Amino acid sequence: MTGIKIDAHQHFWKYNKKDYGWINDSLYVLQRDFLPDDLLAEMTKVQYKACISVQARQTLDETQWLLDLAKQNSFIKGVVGWLDLCSTSLDDHLEQFCKNPKLMGIRHVLQDEKDDAFMLRTDFQEGISKLSLRNLIYEILIYPKHLPHAIELVKNFHDQIFVLDHIAKPAIKSREMQDWADNIFKLAECKNVYVKASGMITEADWKLWRPDDFTPFLDVIWKAFGEDRIMIGSDWPVCLLAGSYAQVLCLTEGYFEKYSPSVLSKIQGGNAARIYQL
């Protein structure tokens, strides 16, 4: 898929209060359905041709539903779903879902676990140990406070590919970045870790953010991971809380366009195509 622009991180849902309790009334913009036709309309405006769809619910039904959407919509090139990595039924679930070639990764909402070190639990790591055998990526969804645990986790699995979502959600609004930056550099020392430049505008001031607000954070990501380990992602529709689909992609593209066209091409899709083996 050389030269194709790929949105490496977005979500779909059919909204209801039970399944999406985190979408409270203050996030009313998200209290509706967001489906493939909605995304395709936005992608077309900015010449994006493909996407990776990421779980928003921690259920097996969610994973199957996303895989069904990918089957029905050719522009959805891959799915990062959810499986219970701590379950004694994990082997059976892997056998079942890995029959579908569009399952490319697994994610757990670590940021919501009460135990900050949940990812270091023995049963969770046992689950992680089974992913590389299935050629599955593990996506890390965390806050900056979790980075020391993530560093320990990835060092335990040299053969496993990890992708850090949303650059670990640093405090862009308050510009607190020193501890985050130090840990990002430590994490990036592990060459099996990649990062998505995504989910940033919702960590900034939703109404008053400016492109310059993100420059110091993207400087760290660029210096730590380099041109071959960064992917662009919209985090649509969550990004709509603070801007438009086009704005969030143009923000990241605007930062990287100061480098060579080949670098921008990697960020826009080349790296995602390689990492997800599209």
Side-chain angles (χ1 to χ4, degrees):
M1 300 187 67
T2 305
I4 300 297
K5 293 183 180 180
I6 302 169
D7 180 350
H9 195 104
Q10 57 76 216
H11 308 282
F12 296 117
W13 60 68
K14 289 186 176 180
Y15 174 73
N16 64 75
K17 287 188 177 181
K18 179 182 178 182
D19 289 340
Y20 299 96
W22 62 273
I23 306 178
N24 57 42
D25 288 344
S26 69
L27 310 179
Y28 66 90
V29 172
L30 305 181
Q31 290 179 335
R32 67 174 181 86
D33 297 350
F34 290 93
L35 297 170
D37 286 348
D38 303 311
L39 177 61
L40 186 59
E42 297 298 327
M43 290 173 59
T44 301
K45 295 175 187 177
V46 289
Q47 291 80 53
Y48 274 70
K49 302 294 186 182
C51 70
I52 301 293
S53 190
V54 182
Q55 60 86 217
R57 297 177 298 164
Q58 297 200 139
T59 67
L60 298 178
D61 286 345
E62 166 89 341
T63 303
Q64 186 58 58
W65 181 64
L66 292 176
L67 290 170
D68 290 343
L69 290 182
K71 182 178 181 180
Q72 298 158 13
N73 299 272
S74 61
F75 72 92
I76 305 173
K77 298 301 182 184
V79 166
V80 176
W82 177 86
L83 298 177
D84 186 351
L85 296 179
C86 300
S87 172
T88 56
S89 299
L90 179 60
D91 288 329
D92 292 337
H93 293 153
L94 285 168
E95 181 68 24
Q96 173 190 346
F97 285 99
C98 287
K99 291 177 182 177
N100 191 315
K102 285 201 172 181
L103 181 67
M104 297 181 173
I106 300 298
R107 187 176 82 155
H108 185 86
V109 186
L110 290 169
Q111 68 178 28
D112 288 347
E113 292 290 345
K114 293 180 180 180
D115 178 5
D116 289 351
F118 183 92
M119 69 190 82
L120 299 179
R121 282 175 40 163
T122 300
D123 53 356
F124 189 83
Q125 292 197 72
E126 177 66 22
I128 292 284
S129 72
K130 299 178 179 181
L131 300 184
S132 63
L133 301 174
R134 301 280 187 167
N135 205 29
L136 292 174
I137 290 168
Y138 181 76
E139 300 218 353
I140 305 172
L141 177 61
I142 55 173
Y143 293 120
K145 66 178 181 177
H146 300 106
L147 278 167
H149 302 305
I151 293 165
E152 184 175 347
L153 176 70
V154 302
K155 286 181 177 179
N156 290 339
F157 298 97
H158 299 289
D159 296 328
Q160 173 65 47
I161 293 178
F162 293 91
V163 172
L164 178 66
D165 288 348
H166 310 326
I167 68 171
K169 296 190 171 185
I172 295 172
K173 183 177 180 179
S174 61
R175 299 174 183 256
E176 298 172 27
M177 65 178 298
Q178 190 58 60
D179 289 345
W180 167 83
D182 290 344
N183 283 317
I184 284 291
F185 279 110
K186 291 176 184 177
L187 184 68
E189 289 175 0
C190 300
K191 302 305 181 184
N192 55 325
V193 182
Y194 301 79
V195 65
K196 289 180 180 178
S198 59
M200 295 182 291
I201 63 171
T202 45
E203 302 305 319
D205 187 311
W206 292 2
K207 296 184 181 299
L208 299 176
W209 65 263
R210 300 176 302 171
D212 288 350
D213 295 339
F214 306 92
T215 299
F217 295 90
L218 286 170
D219 283 345
V220 170
I221 293 301
W222 171 250
K223 291 174 184 176
F225 287 95
E227 64 185 83
D228 294 318
R229 292 196 285 156
I230 304 171
M231 296 173 279
I232 192 171
S234 67
D235 198 27
W236 180 93
V238 181
C239 66
L240 301 180
L241 293 169
S244 69
Y245 185 81
Q247 279 180 313
V248 73
L249 293 175
C250 288
L251 168 68
T252 306
E253 291 172 338
Y255 175 86
F256 287 105
E257 68 183 3
K258 64 189 174 186
Y259 300 106
S260 70
S262 64
V263 167
L264 183 58
S265 180
K266 289 179 181 181
I267 306 300
Q268 287 176 319
N271 288 340
R274 174 173 51 84
I275 293 163
Y276 290 101
Q277 300 181 29
L278 303 184

